[in-house]
Amino acid sequence: MEKTNMENRPVDMYCLTSNKHFHPTLTVHNILGNISHEMIAPAKAVTGVYRGHSTTSVYNSRILLQIGDRIVTVETHAGYAFTYGSKREKTALTLAAKKGKEVTLSINENDTAVTLSIKGGISITQPVNNIDYGSLVKKTVKNETLYGKPVTNKILEGELIAVDYHGPLLMKDDGEVVQYKSPLNNPEMANAKLLVGNHVRVALNDQQELTIQSLDAHLERSVDKKPEMKHAPAIKTTHIIRLTHREDLNGYTSVEGRDYQKPIFHQGASKVAGQLIEANPNYGTFTLEHPVYGRVGVSVGKRLFQGDPESCEALFKACEEKKPVAISLDKTGTSLTVAIKDGPTLVNKMQSPAIPFGLVDAKQVSAEKTYRGKLNAVHAEHSVELQTDKGPLIVYGRGGASAEVTLKKMMGKQVEVSAGKDNALVVKTLEREKGLAR
């Protein structure tokens, strides 16, 4: 695939980003001798008539808009963009496509959430799972490999302007943006993002691992090297698989912890298999030896097999024998299955879906802070999930001021969450509706 420039050509696809370092690029496709051109431009927001989803993206992350007499594609970077949600949202999008309503697609300042706003109607916000700037990059640098291992060590220097899962993106002194093609795992991406805005050198170390070394005199950090510190603990990543039924979080990853704190890599999945090392039903957690990731934790966010001593005994026996198991959630997130090889299949029913702690930012209510957003989920009377301008947010308290059934009546509505007596969770709707207090 070749990329070049051409003036006065209309845009075929917009790539949502708030990053100001990117510029329009013309991509030339050559498929079996058939030449086609695609002008791709960065944009923080795009407005046009909503025409549904593009069928060319693997994860349905692209939206079609009509601007004037042309149909353009908008890359949102959000997997299955706006295809899930409340009945109200789905109805609004269906009507928008049917009636040809004007919508605006926009991305927030740090490229972590996209919003679709229907003119005269509702706005829907969805998190960005994996940002991909590749379509806006004119040049890439990649090490040649032999039998899957790098045999060259190309070095690239410039200002680190962004990081995506394909590798770091640098702006050279002549203004050219180049991507160093070397996939980063999520802990590496989190560390690399600490250096954005600095002049860096990117290369492979002696272990053939990607290093991003700051060349700024005042900053001496890199992806694989930390400042010297007496008795500094070795940094190892704790990998936790958060079981979730939600399509927007299935495959989603996040990282918490950096510098000398042990990083935790959270990964969303609806099922996982491996050798069972440890089980803690009271905490809803397991430890597996995974064939790819090695030692991983598995969490459901709920107590499991309460009042079921036979299932607990079967789990503990499987741990002693280090039996292979497959752990999965159903499509509702309320039924957990643990299938033990050459043993029983255990099923745990839950009154509400598994809680995606780790995948979604969580805050405890306090007298100093209130939170506003659309009520997306009710995990318990003391724990709810909001869709805010910055993305999904779990808010919890020490107990709840309202019953779970009362909170569920506010699902899909704009609400305010605050602290009540003894920091209990208080949820109030911001929409006027009969039967609900404002």
Side-chain angles (χ1 to χ4, degrees):
M1 185 172 70
E2 178 191 1
K3 293 182 179 178
T4 184
N5 290 318
M6 184 181 294
E7 295 182 357
N8 302 320
R9 181 180 176 88
V11 174
D12 299 297
M13 184 172 81
Y14 288 99
C15 182
L16 290 182
T17 177
S18 61
N19 194 315
K20 298 179 180 179
H21 291 95
F22 295 110
H23 302 284
T25 181
L26 183 70
T27 301
V28 181
H29 302 280
N30 186 344
I31 303 176
L32 299 177
N34 295 318
I35 306 298
S36 63
H37 300 79
E38 187 178 30
M39 178 62 79
I40 304 173
K44 192 174 188 307
V46 183
T47 299
V49 176
Y50 180 67
R51 296 302 184 195
H53 283 77
S54 168
T55 58
T56 61
S57 60
V58 178
Y59 300 108
N60 290 332
S61 60
R62 296 176 180 177
I63 301 292
L64 297 176
L65 297 183
Q66 182 175 341
I67 302 177
D69 59 353
R70 301 184 70 252
I71 300 294
V72 301
T73 303
V74 181
E75 174 60 74
T76 68
H77 312 286
Y80 304 97
F82 310 108
T83 57
Y84 61 88
S86 66
K87 183 177 179 180
R88 176 170 173 257
E89 292 173 348
K90 291 179 180 178
T91 300
L93 285 177
T94 300
L95 289 174
K98 186 176 181 181
K99 296 184 177 181
K101 288 193 173 184
E102 184 177 280
V103 304
T104 297
L105 288 163
S106 60
I107 196 164
N108 65 353
E109 289 297 332
N110 54 1
D111 287 2
T112 58
V114 291
T115 299
L116 185 152
S117 301
I118 302 173
K119 186 176 182 180
I122 66 172
S123 294
I124 308 169
T125 300
Q126 181 174 332
V128 170
N129 292 347
N130 283 307
I131 197 79
D132 184 357
Y133 299 111
S135 58
L136 295 171
V137 179
K138 295 181 180 181
K139 183 179 179 181
T140 60
V141 170
K142 186 177 181 180
N143 286 300
E144 286 76 25
T145 60
L146 180 64
Y147 303 117
K149 295 183 178 180
V151 293
T152 60
N153 188 3
K154 296 180 179 178
I155 298 174
L156 185 63
E157 292 186 3
E159 180 188 351
L160 184 64
I161 63 169
V163 181
D164 68 19
Y165 63 93
H166 291 302
L169 295 101
L170 281 71
M171 177 175 284
K172 299 171 66 178
D173 292 339
D174 60 3
E176 183 181 35
V177 175
V178 182
Q179 182 163 40
Y180 197 104
K181 286 275 191 174
S182 183
L184 297 170
N185 61 36
N186 282 273
E188 290 170 338
M189 282 180 63
N191 286 337
K193 287 178 179 178
L194 298 174
L195 300 177
V196 168
N198 289 274
H199 196 73
V200 299
R201 177 185 291 120
V202 181
L204 300 178
N205 62 14
D206 294 338
Q207 289 74 42
Q208 302 298 300
E209 298 169 334
L210 182 72
T211 65
I212 306 176
Q213 178 66 53
S214 173
L215 299 178
D216 289 354
H218 68 281
L219 186 61
E220 297 177 353
R221 292 183 297 187
S222 70
V223 169
D224 70 334
K225 180 182 177 181
K226 60 183 185 296
E228 289 191 9
M229 174 181 174
K230 290 184 178 180
H231 310 299
I235 294 181
K236 295 182 179 179
T237 300
T238 299
H239 189 160
I240 299 180
I241 295 176
R242 303 284 181 176
L243 289 184
T244 177
H245 68 296
R246 288 169 47 178
E247 291 183 357
D248 60 315
L249 297 177
N250 197 334
Y252 183 80
T253 56
S254 68
V255 179
E256 65 175 293
R258 62 186 185 184
D259 295 336
Y260 300 110
Q261 181 183 351
K262 192 174 183 180
I264 301 177
F265 172 28
H266 302 281
Q267 180 178 7
S270 60
K271 58 184 177 181
V272 62
Q275 190 179 36
L276 185 62
I277 304 300
E278 188 176 77
N280 291 295
N282 283 337
Y283 296 99
T285 62
F286 306 86
T287 301
L288 301 182
E289 190 68 27
H290 192 275
V292 175
Y293 302 124
R295 189 65 57 92
V296 300
V298 180
S299 175
V300 183
K302 297 268 188 176
R303 289 186 176 185
L304 302 173
F305 302 110
Q306 300 299 293
D308 186 357
E310 292 182 1
S311 292
C312 291
E313 184 177 346
L315 279 175
F316 298 145
K317 183 179 179 181
C319 291
E320 292 176 359
E321 298 174 358
K322 293 183 170 51
K323 287 275 191 86
V325 298
I327 307 173
S328 61
L329 279 175
D330 70 348
K331 292 182 178 180
T332 68
T334 59
S335 180
L336 177 87
T337 300
V338 182
I340 303 172
K341 186 177 181 180
D342 299 325
T345 296
L346 311 177
V347 178
N348 183 88
K349 299 289 185 180
M350 298 175 284
Q351 293 183 347
S352 57
I355 303 176
F357 284 121
L359 298 178
V360 175
D361 194 15
K363 301 289 184 182
Q364 185 174 0
V365 292
S366 66
E368 297 78 27
K369 180 71 174 176
T370 61
Y371 302 91
R372 290 189 175 190
K374 187 183 72 173
L375 185 58
N376 265 5
V378 177
H379 299 305
E381 66 179 19
H382 65 278
S383 176
V384 298
E385 183 176 331
L386 305 180
Q387 183 64 51
T388 71
D389 292 338
K390 296 182 180 180
L393 174 69
I394 292 176
V395 185
Y396 61 97
R398 296 181 178 177
S402 301
E404 190 171 335
V405 64
T406 302
L407 296 178
K408 287 183 176 179
K409 291 179 181 179
M410 291 184 261
M411 289 276 290
K413 300 185 182 300
Q414 292 293 319
V415 299
E416 181 181 86
V417 182
S418 59
K421 185 179 180 180
D422 297 326
N423 276 345
L425 189 81
V426 177
V427 182
K428 294 182 180 180
T429 180
L430 298 175
E431 300 180 14
R432 292 185 180 276
E433 186 171 331
K434 186 177 179 180
L436 290 178
R438 182 179 169 87

